[in-house]
Every structure is written in C-alpha cells, then in structure tokens.
Amino acid sequence: MTAAGAKISVQGVAKTFQSAAGDAVSALGEVDLDIAPGEFVSIVGPSGCGKSTLLNVLAGFEEPSQGEALMDGRPIRGPGPERGVVFQEYALFPWLTVAGNVAFGPASRGIAADEVAARVRHYVAMVKLDGSERKYPHELSGGMRQRCALARCIANDPDVLLMDEPLAALDALTRLSLQDELLRIWSEASRERPKTVLYITHAIDEAIYLSDRVVVMSERPGRIRRVIEVPFARPRAPEIRTDPRFHALTDEIWLLLRREP
Amino acid sequence: MKGNRIGNFCWRLALPAVLIAAWYYATEIRPMLHPTLLPSPLAVLRMFWKLLWNGELFVHIGASLLRIFYANLAALALGVPLGLAMGLFRPVERLLDGLLSIFRPIPPLAWVPLSILWLGIGTTSVVFITFLAAFFAIVINTIAGARAVDRLHMRAALSLGASRRRIMTHVVLPTVASYVFTGLRIAIGVSWMSIVAAELIAASSGLGYMITYYREALRTDAIIVGMLTIGVIGLAMDLATRRIEQWLMPWRTGYHLA
Ligand SMILES: Nc1ncnc2c1ncn2[C@@H]1O[C@H](COP(=O)(O)OP(=O)(O)O)[C@@H](O)[C@H]1O
Ligand SMILES: [Mg+2]
C-alpha cells in the first residue's frame, strides 16, 4: 500500500502513553499516510487527538508503540537534520542572537565558518529579519521569533519540514501574513531541492490555504477520518480565500470535525 | 522616566536619612546614651577617617576580600562539576545526595571549632568556613540548572544535527551558566556574612577581626565603622555581580521580563 518513492511513509503507527497514574493512554490510533516528495500536507484534528504525537514520531522524538514511520523507505530512528522541526513555542535558544540561532544547525554539522555566515545572511534575509541579526529572541515580537525559527530550520537545508502549529500563538493578522510568507519561503527554499512539509494546525482555513492535501483526524485516539485534495494551483494568492470552493472545503472539513465518532 | 528614577532614589534614601537624623538627635543634641553604648554619627565619621588614613581599614578590607575570592573560586571549581554530575547523571546524584543533604543544614559557623583544630587560626580556617557557605549555594543552583535544560531546546538541537558534545557545550552549559551565576550571587552574599563571623573567632585580620578587636578595646565607634563598611561592600558586590551578569548574559533580561 506504500506508494513507491514516498518521502514520508507512516505505516500503522499508533502510540500509547503510560500516564503518571500508571494506566495506558491511547494517544494515537492506527495511522497510515504517505507523503510525496515536495508535497505540503496539513493535519487538522480536535485538540488532544494525537497530532503532535504523530509529528514527534516522525521527528524521532518518540517511538511508535505500533507500526513504523519511514523516510525515503528507511525507518526513522531518532531525530536528524534531514527532518527539520518548527515548534509552536519557537524553541529558539535564548542565549543566542538571531544570527546565532540560524547558524546553529549548519555549524553543528561542521560546515566551514564562512559558508555558515553566508547561509545566515541568506536565510535571515529570506525571512526578512535583516537588521535584527544581533538581537536576542526576547527582543523580538512573536511573529519575528517564528520567522527566526523558520530560518533556523531551513538554513539547515532539511528534506522534510515538520511544523507543529507554528502560527497558533500569533494574532490573527500576523498569522495571515505569515501564511503567505511561509509559502514564499517554502517555494524559495524548494528551488534547489523539493522540501516536503507536514504541517499541523487547528485552523481549517490555514490548512486549505497552505496545503496540497488536508488530513482530517478524529478525536483521541486519533485516526485519519479523511484526506482531502486541495484544488487550488500554486502560487496561491489571498484571493482564493473568497473563492466559493474555498468555503465549500472549509465547510466540508468543519462537518467532518464535528461529526460524532 | 529619568525624573521617576531620581524620585525612586530619593525614596530609597528617605528612611536611612531619618534614622541618621534620629541617631544624631539622640547622641549630639540630646545625649541619651553613654557614647560607649552608642557613639554619635560624628564620632563614627571621625573614626572612619582615622582608620582610612592610617590604612588599617584597607588592610582589613583587603584581607576579607581576598578570602572571599579564594573561597568562591574554590566553591566554583568544586561545586560546578559536582553539581553538573549530580544534575545530569542519576547514579551520581543517588550516591551524593544523602551526604550533601546532611551537611547542608549545618551552619558554616558550626565548623569553626573543627576548623580551628584542623587548620589553626588564620586565613586557611576562614577560607574553609567561607568556602562551605559558598559551596552549597553553588552546588544546589548548578544541579537545578542542569535539570532546567528545556526539553524543547534539547529536541531542537537534536533535529538540527547537534552531537551530544555540542549539546553539552551549546545547550546545557548556557542554561547551567545562568543558574551558576545566580548561585554565585547567593554564594557571595552568604560568604560575606559567614566570613565576618568566622573572622570574629578564627583570624587576626579582616573586618570581622577588626570588630572583635575594637569590642575588646570598647571602641564602639570603630565597631560601627566596621559594620557599615561590611554593609556597603556587600551591597557593592551584589550590584557588581548583577552588572557582570547583565554583561555576560544579555539574554537573561528576557527571563526577568517574561
Ligand atoms: N508524554 C506523554 N505522556 C502521557 N500522555 C501524553 C504524552 N504526550 C501526549 N499525551 C496525551 O496524548 C494525547 C495526544 O496528545 P497530542 O499529540 O499532544 O495532541 P494534539 O497535538 O493533537 O493536541 C493527549 O491526550 C495527551 O494528553
Ligand atoms: Mg499539539
């Protein structure tokens, strides 16, 4: 059932946690999902349904209790730089400046200092943080922090980007503008090598606007309720938000999410 | 903003000013106490000038500060590696926690008799007692720092491709550093308190010794000079460590504001 050449392949992955009280909490039901190279896939689902758990399995932070997650056909064992992660809480290193944060990945992988500096310049400019290179994260606004986190992730040139509600902590206007930024940055970064994205959100419109496919999950323990193809061509412009098909899709997903299990 | 700061400053000085005025009143204008019990502020000031000009005050300040320096240096050198090992490795913690928990509640001054027996009266004894005070503050804070490493930072570093070694130097150490600094600030505070007490008994120089010396000579004015000197230097050291902390770890202001 795995499509040959899938970038990411989730095969029967389920996760059960041991709660502090000792009983087993089934966080994620059995999930099967293939993501093609260069594809942008979003996951929407009720809170607590296991979205972050799935992402953590793909990032290599958690081991599945059942099934297997593959990248390029090889099982994922632990975190690695080929899978970049963007966290809702940014997770920037507060002791490093913007430039220091962006340099962290390349420098970790032993890239020469002048090449690291060139990458920092390039990606800082890409996320429009030039001029703020020497600022510390606490001096940035929420939107700037997430841009910085995005630059840090992409500067490491990962094949796969795993994003866990990266815009959820931002105000509505910043979120809308960052959605466009995100698409622009993704397509710029994908020029040399396609970048596959798994994007978690609880905002339906965000999922539709950004993605090629939207995966709708059920309540905990989350299973895939349906996978919806988004028909809009790229590059996408804000006008599609007023397209009747956009609303039809939003309603469809909304109903899926509301449906009793 | 600036006017506010000046107002703030005046507000802080208000109470000390009132106290000094009352002191002046009770000793110079309407003497109520014998000068041996409470000398006037003018007498204290005169004594201060005298001890300043004959160099005595500097000798004692120098002796105390040098001991503080050695004690905290030793406390850092031993406390940071030990705290790191305990905070990061469970078995080390299990091994040492009991010992540490028993020794920690013993006030440094309770070590004075043993310390005099073992090390004699003098700098070594005082440094040892002061070291004990500083050491626990640093160990406890280092352990807390090693445990405070944010799981998200750990995960971010791992998925950026950082090796274990790089995580140690670039994630664990910066986190621990700010805790160590907090520990050092507390350590300097407590060591300043315990050094004076240790010098009262176990030394023949230092501000604590100076105070006992003049107690025996019944020179209350010199005792008060010693006490106020201790207060002022303690305050200055705390302000200085804060400045150094801001300079070394500019990101820390974020934690305070957040
Ligand atoms: N480390 C853990 N230990 C125990 N339970 C957990 C753990 N992580 C997540 N869970 C539980 O698993 C469920 C799914 O969590 P999560 O994947 O974070 O949901 P989502 O991201 O969809 O909101 C929740 O009920 C959560 O409480
Ligand atoms: Mg989540």
Side-chain angles (χ1 to χ4, degrees):
Chain A
M1 54 171 297
T2 304
K7 190 75 196 173
I8 291 282
S9 181
V10 179
Q11 304 185 345
V13 165
K15 178 78 185 175
T16 305
F17 286 107
Q18 216 63 39
S19 80
D23 34 46
V25 180
S26 176
L28 183 66
E30 262 187 58
V31 170
D32 294 288
L33 179 67
D34 282 339
I35 305 176
E39 202 180 10
F40 196 125
V41 172
S42 287
I43 298 185
V44 292
S47 115
C49 76
K51 304 181 295 291
S52 297
T53 304
L54 178 60
L55 184 127
N56 287 340
V57 166
L58 291 172
F61 302 146
E62 307 267 14
E63 289 203 354
S65 317
Q66 225 189 91
E68 203 165 33
L70 309 170
M71 175 172 172
D72 293 323
R74 284 185 297 277
I76 288 167
R77 306 223 187 288
E82 69 285 354
R83 281 161 286 130
V85 182
V86 178
F87 303 86
Q88 179 182 339
E89 308 85 345
Y90 321 122
L92 292 169
F93 304 120
W95 51 87
L96 296 179
T97 58
V98 166
N101 270 283
V102 176
F104 189 95
S108 289
R109 298 193 300 134
I111 290 169
D114 49 345
E115 163 69 11
V116 172
R119 279 204 198 188
V120 169
R121 272 195 302 279
H122 180 239
Y123 290 99
V124 164
M126 190 187 274
V127 299
K128 302 202 170 121
L129 278 180
D130 24 355
S132 300
E133 290 90 340
R134 306 171 117 220
K135 289 196 175 139
Y136 285 93
H138 76 261
E139 299 172 285
L140 305 176
S141 69
M144 290 163 91
R145 286 181 206 184
Q146 201 51 291
R147 287 164 194 268
C148 179
L150 200 58
R152 176 178 72 173
C153 181
I154 293 182
N156 214 19
D157 199 23
D159 273 5
V160 174
L161 289 161
L162 303 168
M163 305 199 204
D164 194 352
E165 307 206 28
L167 309 185
L170 304 173
D171 63 89
L173 278 178
T174 311
R175 243 176 64 194
L176 285 182
S177 76
L178 268 182
Q179 289 171 13
D180 287 308
E181 291 281 294
L182 187 64
L183 287 178
R184 174 183 61 79
I185 292 161
W186 173 57
S187 77
E188 272 181 45
S190 296
R191 235 169 254 157
E192 301 201 357
R193 221 144 40 89
K195 301 228 177 294
T196 311
V197 181
L198 181 71
Y199 189 95
I200 289 173
T201 176
H202 57 243
I204 300 172
D205 65 313
E206 186 170 294
I208 299 172
Y209 188 64
L210 297 176
S211 327
D212 301 312
R213 285 190 294 155
V214 179
V215 175
V216 184
M217 289 183 65
S218 66
E219 282 85 8
R220 184 172 69 88
R223 290 165 184 277
I224 293 179
R225 192 159 267 172
R226 193 174 303 168
V227 180
I228 291 168
E229 300 268 347
V230 179
F232 302 108
R234 294 192 190 272
R236 293 194 182 154
E239 289 75 64
I240 67 166
R241 290 179 190 281
T242 55
D243 190 308
R245 287 177 299 166
F246 194 94
H247 293 290
L249 271 182
T250 313
D251 292 345
E252 185 183 349
I253 295 173
W254 176 237
L255 285 173
L256 280 169
L257 286 172
R258 279 195 46 183
R259 203 178 71 190
E260 297 300 318
Chain B
M1 270 293 53
K2 198 174 173 191
N4 204 349
R5 271 184 70 172
I6 293 169
N8 204 339
F9 189 64
C10 291
W11 192 237
R12 274 168 198 273
L13 285 185
L15 204 53
V18 169
L19 266 177
I20 289 171
W23 178 15
Y24 184 80
Y25 181 81
T27 48
E28 286 281 338
I29 297 178
R30 275 199 183 185
M32 301 176 191
L33 295 165
H34 190 275
T36 311
L37 289 179
L38 187 63
S40 83
L42 293 180
V44 171
L45 213 55
R46 274 194 297 271
M47 187 46 129
F48 173 68
W49 277 122
K50 189 180 146 206
L51 293 174
L52 203 63
W53 285 113
N54 69 16
E56 200 180 327
L57 196 56
F58 288 115
V59 171
H60 292 306
I61 291 175
S64 291
L65 283 180
L66 199 65
R67 289 167 187 156
I68 292 266
F69 176 74
Y70 286 140
N72 280 279
L73 204 64
L76 276 176
L78 275 159
V80 172
L82 194 71
L84 270 179
M86 287 182 70
L88 294 175
F89 307 109
R90 285 275 150 194
V92 182
E93 200 226 335
R94 272 201 293 274
L95 184 71
L96 294 173
D97 189 50
L99 200 65
L100 213 64
S101 306
I102 288 179
F103 279 101
R104 195 160 71 103
I106 302 175
L109 287 187
W111 287 88
V112 168
L114 273 188
S115 156
I116 291 178
L117 279 175
W118 293 343
L119 305 166
I121 287 190
T123 292
T124 326
S125 248
V126 174
V127 169
F128 173 66
I129 290 158
T130 313
F131 159 80
L132 286 172
F135 174 74
F136 287 108
I138 286 171
V139 170
I140 303 296
N141 275 281
T142 309
I143 294 174
R147 299 228 175 104
V149 175
D150 192 327
R151 190 175 67 164
L152 277 182
H153 290 150
M154 213 66 160
R155 288 181 164 183
L158 283 169
S159 43
L160 287 165
S163 60
R164 283 184 73 91
R165 192 197 154 103
R166 190 168 160 86
I167 286 181
M168 204 63 205
T169 54
H170 285 71
V171 180
V172 177
L173 277 185
T175 308
V176 173
S178 47
Y179 279 77
V180 169
F181 221 96
T182 306
L184 184 62
R185 238 175 71 199
I186 298 171
I188 289 177
V190 295
S191 58
W192 188 237
M193 280 187 238
S194 61
I195 195 178
V196 173
E199 284 170 349
L200 289 174
I201 310 167
S204 44
S205 62
L207 285 167
Y209 168 78
M210 186 183 116
I211 290 175
T212 3
Y213 176 84
Y214 284 108
R215 178 179 60 85
E216 277 156 23
L218 282 183
R219 289 310 304 252
T220 319
D221 44 2
I223 294 176
I224 294 177
V225 168
M227 288 172 66
L228 290 178
T229 308
I230 290 165
V232 170
I233 293 178
L235 176 66
M237 289 201 304
D238 196 52
L239 290 178
T241 37
R242 272 181 213 221
R243 275 290 156 84
I244 293 172
E245 184 178 14
Q246 269 172 12
W247 177 68
L248 280 177
M249 296 174 224
W251 69 86
R252 286 265 284 173
T253 37
Y255 285 145
H256 297 318
L257 292 174

